[in-house]
Amino acid sequence: MKELKYLNKYLYKYKGMLLSGVLFVVLANIFAIVPAQMVRHALNLVIDSIDTYNIFDGSSLQEAFRSDFYQTVFFYGLLIVAMALMRGVFLFFMRQTVIVMSRKIEYDMKNDLFQHYQSLPLSFYRRNNTGDLMARISEDVGKVRMYLGPAMMYGMNLTVSCILVIGYMLSVNVNLTLWALLPLPLLSISIYYVNNLINKRSEDIQESLSNMSTFVQEAFSGIRVIKAFIRESDNARMFDDAANDYKDKQLKLSKVNALFYPLMLSLIGLSTILTVYVGGIEVAKGSITAGNIAEFIMYVNLLTWPVTSLGWVTSIVQRAAASQKRINQFLQTENDIVSTEQLKHPVQGSIQFDSVSLVYPDSGIKAVRKVSFEVGAGETLALLGTTGAGKSTIANLVCRMYDPTDGKVLIDGKDIKSYDIAHIRNQIGYVPQDVFLFSDTVKNNIAFGKNDASEEEIIQAAKDADLWENIKRFDKGLSTMVGERGITLSGGQKQRTSIARALIRKPKILILDDSLSAVDTNTENAILNNLKGIMKDRTSIIISHRVSSAKLADKIIFLNDGEVVEMGSHEELMKANGFYKDLYEKQIKSDVETSEE
Ligand SMILES: Nc1ncnc2c1ncn2[C@@H]1O[C@H](COP(=O)(O)OP(=O)(O)OP(=O)(O)O)[C@@H](O)[C@H]1O
């Protein structure tokens, strides 16, 4: 339960609502108890009045007595109705304070959690899958809200009504109270077990539903592969299995649900029978009146829901504690990528790697080993190498997504760790290997790179990325929707949109991570030529598998298995007769062959 202590800060923030909630719970309970006493008075009055009425039999006073009697009973009736109304009003306010408070805390928690998520380094996202991140911000926060709202409200109601009602019942007759309340603990315990069973089965259903959704989502997003491999009927059978599993689990839950009300009603019925039976004996003994029996039946009814809710509240609290534990695990994860000096001075763009090694914390893979190089401000560096050689890792280190395990990355001669992180990332235009476009317009996807980008800037960026001609041909031009809800862009168009997004911010350091792989050599040349103009006095890192992207660079680094195996300009590396020359000749040869075909 200590996990739930984390929530105290939110309860403190909304203490006004919480305290008013308690007040309304007390008032609602008072207005529930007093009518029961009215019923006792009214019933006793009726019983007593019948005898008196009979005494006046035949006399004219009988009529006057009768109208007096009616008036008094009517008055009691009015009082009971008025109190029921008052109770309704306070119940309304009780919900309006406690439940509203829980929704506000839910909102705050989701925001806090989302902000915390965003502050965490990339390694956190590698360790935890998206489904888990989403589950904690939606389902787990939802379960915690159930504790802060309904559980807290019913918990308060239970405490207040037990103290008031049982206290009053005991003051009337201890023996009758004990008998009347006897079945209630049983009710509470059985509801606790039934409820746990319901929760367990609901979770099974949730899991089955999420399996089904994942299956459907994959089937739709992979529809091209499914159709090409003619796997539709297999898929339909697999869906049928998943749907069947879901149906079976739903039926199992319905069975337990069907048990809930009969169980509750039979135990309440037992309580009423005991009250009437033991109450009757007490009336015969003369220790209580008949009105007390009616009053006690009302009390038992008043206690039924709070006592039932005890089992329910207990299981909600347990589940909320488990959820909060999961949430706390993420909240306690700290960002280890922090700035040491928060430097914010302007950056020229020179980059130096000083014997840098990186072992990825999540996979333990040694991605780069003792890498050293220098690129002056305004120069272009090309990174070539086999797949998995560590090229993207170098980009990750320049963007400070990871810190080196050994060695130093320096920007303008200063350790990258001393810069303010947002400041340094603001100077970088990064085009990642796996292009990601938002389900939005082309315009907004490009403008994402720069706050308040003007239309002219967007068009210029699109021109620089050699995308403008394509956009002009779209029916809606810049307003064309892309991503899931929009048109399907070709691989090359996507890459160029991503390049335009990086170029629009006029970065001091531009990193293209295999960003020209899906464009033809002409487009590649056009973009690289544009870059020469734009990146004058700025630093570029071009990661590629193609020598055509690399040969114009001031410096070329050839990586193999995390190590620098060659470094120099195109001319120098051609003379070296090593990996680069080998790759160059193979690619030039295959280009010639392709053009001859
Ligand atoms: N975020 C990460 N967490 C853990 N391991 C990683 C991560 N990124 C890359 N790796 C591993 O580090 C090694 C180097 O990967 P990297 O992406 O730097 O290679 P690359 O040269 O860019 O390859 P490619 O040309 O195929 O893109 C690989 O073995 C890869 O599996």
Side-chain angles (χ1 to χ4, degrees), residues 337 339 342-344 399-400 419-428 505:
I337 308 277
S339 166
Q342 311 280 349
L343 293 184
K344 281 188 179 175
C399 295
R400 215 182 158 204
Y419 288 96
D420 178 81
I421 295 167
H423 175 71
I424 206 77
R425 287 190 188 147
N426 247 330
Q427 317 292 321
I428 298 175
R505 52 195 330 191

Side-chain angles (χ1 to χ4, degrees), residues 152-254:
M152 221 167 224
M153 186 173 75
Y154 292 124
M156 289 195 283
N157 193 35
L158 169 76
T159 320
V160 173
S161 60
C162 281
I163 293 174
L164 291 181
V165 176
I166 300 179
Y168 187 75
M169 284 168 90
L170 285 171
S171 76
V172 174
N173 189 299
V174 177
N175 190 34
L176 183 58
T177 308
L178 293 180
W179 280 104
L181 298 184
L182 196 65
L184 295 190
L186 208 66
L187 178 67
S188 199
I189 293 167
S190 35
I191 295 296
Y192 172 71
Y193 283 108
V194 171
N195 204 50
N196 272 352
L197 211 60
I198 291 179
N199 286 336
K200 165 89 193 48
R201 301 213 167 156
S202 306
E203 265 165 24
D204 288 349
I205 290 175
Q206 273 306 320
E207 198 188 315
S208 171
L209 189 67
S210 104
N211 286 343
M212 202 158 74
S213 322
T214 313
F215 177 83
V216 173
Q217 199 197 347
E218 281 204 348
F220 291 151
S221 47
I223 193 75
R224 280 213 288 195
V225 182
I226 291 168
K227 281 193 179 293
F229 284 78
I230 338 161
R231 298 301 290 258
E232 291 95 331
S233 53
D234 280 344
N235 252 12
R237 193 175 32 74
M238 279 155 76
F239 179 78
D240 187 57
D241 290 346
N244 220 2
D245 179 64
Y246 176 71
K247 180 201 73 189
D248 289 345
K249 287 183 173 152
Q250 277 288 10
L251 293 181
K252 271 187 169 176
L253 176 67
S254 308

Side-chain angles (χ1 to χ4, degrees), residues 379-482:
E379 286 183 353
T380 305
L381 168 75
L383 292 172
L384 287 176
T386 47
T387 159
K391 303 181 293 295
S392 303
T393 303
I394 290 182
N396 277 339
L397 288 161
V398 175
C399 295
R400 215 182 158 204
M401 295 296 172
Y402 291 88
D403 276 336
T405 329
D406 256 321
K408 269 187 189 166
V409 176
L410 302 137
I411 306 271
D412 290 352
K414 280 201 169 293
D415 192 335
I416 193 170
K417 290 185 188 171
S418 58
Y419 288 96
D420 178 81
I421 295 167
H423 175 71
I424 206 77
R425 287 190 188 147
N426 247 330
Q427 317 292 321
I428 298 175
Y430 176 43
V431 186
Q433 194 170 22
D434 39 355
V435 175
F436 180 81
L437 297 184
F438 297 94
S439 291
D440 205 337
T441 56
V442 183
K443 182 176 168 180
N444 288 344
N445 265 292
I446 297 176
F448 186 82
K450 185 175 184 234
N451 285 339
D452 315 319
S454 67
E455 181 115 356
E456 289 73 43
E457 284 175 302
I458 295 171
I459 295 173
Q460 189 54 50
K463 283 182 181 163
D464 293 338
D466 208 32
L467 181 69
W468 183 236
E469 291 306 315
N470 293 96
I471 296 177
K472 277 202 297 191
R473 268 181 264 130
F474 297 152
D475 280 350
K476 292 189 182 155
L478 273 174
S479 304
T480 308
M481 289 294 291
V482 296

Side-chain angles (χ1 to χ4, degrees), residues 302-574:
L302 275 182
L303 286 178
T304 309
W305 174 239
V307 172
T308 311
S309 70
L310 178 64
W312 188 61
V313 166
T314 317
S315 84
I316 292 183
V317 174
Q318 281 176 349
R319 294 159 69 77
S323 286
Q324 189 60 45
K325 190 173 172 187
R326 282 157 50 80
I327 295 171
N328 287 350
Q329 274 170 358
F330 276 1
L331 287 175
Q332 279 153 11
T333 311
E334 280 180 12
N335 185 6
D336 48 359
I337 308 277
V338 281
S339 166
T340 52
E341 292 175 46
Q342 311 280 349
L343 293 184
K344 281 188 179 175
H345 58 65
V347 165
Q348 296 307 313
S350 79
I351 303 168
Q352 188 186 344
F353 270 49
D354 183 6
S355 195
V356 172
S357 302
L358 175 71
V359 179
Y360 276 112
D362 36 311
S363 64
I365 290 175
K366 280 188 188 158
V368 287
R369 275 176 263 198
K370 296 206 177 313
V371 169
S372 297
F373 65 83
E374 243 186 287
V375 203
E379 286 183 353
T380 305
L381 168 75
L383 292 172
L384 287 176
T386 47
T387 159
K391 303 181 293 295
S392 303
T393 303
I394 290 182
N396 277 339
L397 288 161
V398 175
C399 295
R400 215 182 158 204
M401 295 296 172
Y402 291 88
D403 276 336
T405 329
D406 256 321
K408 269 187 189 166
V409 176
L410 302 137
I411 306 271
D412 290 352
K414 280 201 169 293
D415 192 335
I416 193 170
K417 290 185 188 171
S418 58
Y419 288 96
D420 178 81
I421 295 167
H423 175 71
I424 206 77
R425 287 190 188 147
N426 247 330
Q427 317 292 321
I428 298 175
Y430 176 43
V431 186
Q433 194 170 22
D434 39 355
V435 175
F436 180 81
L437 297 184
F438 297 94
S439 291
D440 205 337
T441 56
V442 183
K443 182 176 168 180
N444 288 344
N445 265 292
I446 297 176
F448 186 82
K450 185 175 184 234
N451 285 339
D452 315 319
S454 67
E455 181 115 356
E456 289 73 43
E457 284 175 302
I458 295 171
I459 295 173
Q460 189 54 50
K463 283 182 181 163
D464 293 338
D466 208 32
L467 181 69
W468 183 236
E469 291 306 315
N470 293 96
I471 296 177
K472 277 202 297 191
R473 268 181 264 130
F474 297 152
D475 280 350
K476 292 189 182 155
L478 273 174
S479 304
T480 308
M481 289 294 291
V482 296
E484 239 183 47
R485 286 182 290 133
I487 62 162
T488 313
L489 294 183
S490 73
Q493 287 167 342
K494 282 186 199 158
Q495 278 189 338
R496 281 174 286 147
T497 313
S498 187
I499 294 175
R501 179 193 288 163
L503 291 181
I504 200 169
R505 52 195 330 191
K506 301 220 161 55
K508 282 283 173 197
I509 300 171
L510 175 74
I511 304 173
L512 301 184
D513 189 350
D514 216 4
S515 311
L516 300 167
S517 59
V519 297
D520 57 73
T521 341
N522 287 340
T523 316
E524 182 184 26
N525 284 335
I527 297 175
L528 289 173
N529 275 330
N530 291 345
L531 285 185
K532 263 196 246 160
I534 306 160
M535 294 309 289
K536 198 165 160 284
D537 304 329
R538 298 162 197 264
T539 313
S540 317
I541 299 182
I542 298 171
I543 298 174
S544 177
H545 284 111
R546 292 209 303 239
V547 282
S548 52
S549 292
K551 71 174 192 228
L552 297 176
D554 301 301
K555 189 175 270 177
I556 301 166
I557 290 181
F558 203 102
L559 283 166
N560 191 22
D561 199 16
E563 283 175 290
V564 177
V565 287
E566 272 176 24
M567 179 157 43
S569 65
H570 171 74
E571 289 74 25
E572 286 165 356
L573 294 186
M574 286 304 282

Side-chain angles (χ1 to χ4, degrees), residues 6-24:
Y6 173 79
L7 300 168
N8 290 351
K9 67 173 188 189
Y10 294 110
L11 291 175
Y12 186 73
K13 179 176 173 192
Y14 294 106
K15 53 186 178 302
M17 293 184 108
L18 184 64
L19 292 176
S20 342
V22 177
L23 178 71
F24 292 131

